[in-house]
Amino acid sequence: MSTLTKQDTFIGLLDTAPNNFSAARTLAKESYLAQGIPVAKAEEYKFTNIGKKLEQNISNIAPALPFEVTSEMVHSATFAGFEGDLLVFSNGKFLPELSSKIEGVEVSLISEKSDLAIGSIAKPEKDAFAAINQASFEDGLFISVPKKAQIERPILLLSFNQANGGQVIQPRFWIEAGDFAEVTFIDQSISLGDTAYFVNKVIELKGGVNTQLKYYRLQIESKSAIEVSNIETDVQKDARFTSVNISLSGDLVRNNLSLNLLGSNSEGNMYGIYLLNGKSHVDNHTNVDHTIPHAESNELYKGILADQSRGVFNGKIFVRQDAQKTNAFQQNNNILLSEDAIVNTKPQLEIWADDVKCSHGCTVGQLDEEALFYLQARGIDKTQAKGLLLYAFAGEVLEKIEEESFRVYCDTLIQERLGSKF
């Protein structure tokens, strides 16, 4: 159980939940009571003492109320060149008056879907924070892409966060795509102010046969913000899921991403880049579960860390006994730009089948001095040379973003970060 002194307050948050989805909420509450907030010795949170951070920084464990978001704020926050549809949120609450009516896509509140199988993909027993969200979320968004729909315009999930007194923001999404559907989502948060708050997000994604689902995420949280996200997806036969996660700031950020490969010829791709400075702490935990023969997964996460920042990577690949002919790749590479920066990396493979191609690895080091010397010898000053090498290092992940306007935007942000800090 948790040693967090405010655990009783979390339980109080659970007791104030709405009455819908009562069975799912009861199960989640029981799961939370069995787990508690992870302590420092918990294996899954070994390098991320989130209980201590919550106790120190989150003074008011209560739902954050939505605040006014104007059309001018939305326009200002939408990145240049974006040509798609917008779904806008204020402290996790959906704002339909500022959002697009997306042709061919059903968008509604989760509370309007009484038969929805909440928690059937992102199971509350797997993580205490998923349990807290499921037990106490007030409402969320249901997005359904019909069978064979080709949604050419990307859908931007634009979230504005601002909570005083260390309040809790709990976004909840159910996203489903029918057989042969194609859709791209971009998930971006905008922090207003520097006050501490806790974002506890859960996204369940359910794809059909031969779906093509892309999910891109940009995290630029307040330097005082704590965020935990649980994102899990089921990938069916002949389907492809691609995730790209870019983390640039936040006090403590924990990203849990899980892929369940449930059909033959399914493919799961997980990419990430984290550029950290100050005392930011980002922990990426990934899981890929190969359950069926003839499936493929690719995973590449890269980190650049300066000052006293800390990165954690723990990637797990499970290959079940029946999952013959599996092809799985996992790699985590890191560059440390300060003697005080720390990375804890742990790529893992658990293989129960014997006819597979699987590899994993990790690297932690500094900039290549020979490459740096080579560039300087050709008239490039040391600062610029460092920036070029770091940008090339990050570029391998950025090129996985197929939505051009978003890729250009992230490219610009990273170049600015590398140019100003390093």
Side-chain angles (χ1 to χ4, degrees):
M1 293 293 291
S2 168
T3 59
L4 182 68
T5 59
K6 296 186 184 298
Q7 181 177 342
D8 288 345
T9 312
F10 269 106
I11 294 174
L13 180 68
L14 273 52
D15 288 336
T16 62
N19 295 325
N20 57 358
F21 304 107
S22 58
R25 292 187 188 277
T26 299
L27 174 62
K29 183 176 179 180
E30 292 173 352
S31 295
Y32 170 68
L33 293 175
Q35 299 174 70
I37 297 296
V39 297
K41 294 182 180 180
E43 183 62 29
E44 289 300 303
Y45 283 81
K46 184 176 181 180
F47 301 110
T48 300
N49 192 351
I50 192 167
K52 181 179 180 181
K53 180 67 70 172
L54 286 168
E55 183 176 356
Q56 291 175 340
N57 293 28
I58 305 303
S59 58
N60 181 14
I61 301 178
L65 297 175
F67 58 94
E68 183 181 6
V69 175
T70 66
S71 57
E72 290 78 11
M73 293 167 64
V74 173
H75 177 75
S76 177
T78 305
F79 54 86
F82 176 71
E83 294 183 359
D85 291 300
L86 278 166
L87 299 177
V88 183
F89 306 84
S90 171
N91 280 349
K93 181 182 178 181
F94 179 51
L95 303 178
E97 66 277 11
L98 294 176
S99 300
S100 307
K101 295 189 181 301
I102 308 174
E103 184 177 354
V105 176
E106 179 186 355
V107 177
S108 61
L109 296 177
I110 284 178
S111 59
E112 299 171 0
K113 301 290 179 178
S114 59
D115 59 344
L116 200 60
I118 288 291
S120 60
I121 302 175
K123 297 177 173 58
E125 61 268 25
K126 293 177 63 175
D127 184 79
F129 297 102
I132 290 172
N133 182 294
Q134 181 167 316
S136 61
F137 79 94
E138 294 189 330
D139 210 337
L141 203 66
F142 171 87
I143 304 172
S144 179
V145 180
K147 183 178 180 180
K148 295 184 179 180
Q150 311 291 307
I151 309 302
E152 297 181 358
R153 290 161 57 90
I155 299 172
L156 174 59
L157 310 175
L158 187 61
S159 301
F160 292 88
N161 295 332
Q162 182 183 50
N164 297 319
Q167 293 175 317
V168 181
I169 302 168
Q170 295 203 98
R172 184 95 194 190
F173 293 87
W174 178 281
I175 299 173
E176 61 183 34
D179 297 348
F180 298 92
E182 294 186 15
V183 63
T184 297
F185 290 95
I186 300 171
D187 186 348
Q188 182 181 0
S189 296
I190 306 294
S191 288
L192 303 178
D194 294 324
T195 57
Y197 56 79
F198 176 36
V199 178
N200 184 27
K201 171 183 277 189
V202 173
I203 300 179
E204 297 182 271
L205 301 110
K206 183 179 181 180
V209 173
N210 212 337
T211 56
Q212 306 293 314
L213 178 58
K214 303 181 187 72
Y215 175 77
Y216 305 138
R217 190 172 185 214
L218 176 62
Q219 293 176 305
I220 313 178
E221 291 291 350
S222 158
K223 291 184 178 180
S224 301
I226 302 169
E227 178 176 349
V228 176
S229 62
N230 279 277
I231 301 171
E232 188 154 353
T233 181
D234 287 348
V235 186
Q236 305 292 342
K237 182 177 183 294
D238 297 323
R240 181 184 183 189
F241 174 81
T242 299
S243 167
V244 182
N245 192 96
I246 300 172
S247 299
L248 299 181
S249 64
D251 185 2
L252 185 150
V253 175
R254 166 68 176 239
N255 298 315
N256 296 320
L257 175 62
S258 297
L259 273 60
N260 307 310
L261 301 180
L262 304 178
S264 62
N265 200 37
S266 58
E267 179 182 331
N269 303 302
M270 311 164 80
Y271 306 111
I273 182 75
Y274 40 101
L275 271 67
L276 309 179
N277 56 19
K279 294 185 178 181
S280 291
H281 180 121
V282 172
D283 180 346
N284 287 298
H285 262 59
T286 65
N287 286 274
V288 182
D289 195 353
H290 285 264
T291 64
I292 297 293
H294 297 282
E296 177 180 341
S297 64
N298 300 286
E299 184 172 5
L300 175 63
Y301 274 72
K302 290 191 169 189
I304 301 174
L305 296 92
D307 303 328
Q308 295 175 290
S309 61
R310 183 165 189 170
V312 180
F313 174 82
N314 190 335
K316 298 179 181 179
I317 297 176
F318 299 95
V319 182
R320 307 298 175 177
Q321 187 171 0
D322 293 335
Q324 305 293 343
K325 304 296 183 181
T326 287
N327 189 354
F329 166 81
Q330 181 189 81
Q331 185 71 31
N332 174 231
N333 299 328
N334 299 277
I335 293 178
L336 302 183
L337 300 176
S338 164
E339 293 182 356
D340 296 320
I342 299 173
V343 167
N344 299 103
T345 178
K346 188 180 180 181
Q348 295 176 261
L349 290 174
E350 188 172 322
I351 302 173
W352 298 95
D354 53 17
D355 187 7
V356 301
K357 292 182 180 179
C358 299
S359 64
H360 71 302
C362 64
T363 61
V364 179
Q366 299 176 329
L367 278 174
D368 187 334
E369 291 296 332
E370 288 188 7
L372 192 60
F373 175 79
Y374 177 87
L375 292 174
Q376 288 180 269
R378 277 148 183 80
I380 301 174
D381 67 70
K382 188 174 183 179
T383 300
Q384 186 179 8
K386 281 185 176 181
L388 288 171
L389 291 177
L390 292 171
Y391 175 72
F393 177 81
E396 189 176 1
V397 171
L398 290 176
E399 67 184 17
K400 304 298 183 181
I401 301 174
E402 295 182 20
E403 176 56 39
E404 183 178 3
S405 63
F406 184 62
R407 184 178 65 251
V408 171
Y409 176 56
C410 293
D411 186 284
T412 300
L413 289 176
I414 288 176
Q415 286 194 59
E416 290 175 352
R417 171 66 66 86
L418 295 176
S420 63
K421 181 62 186 174
F422 310 125

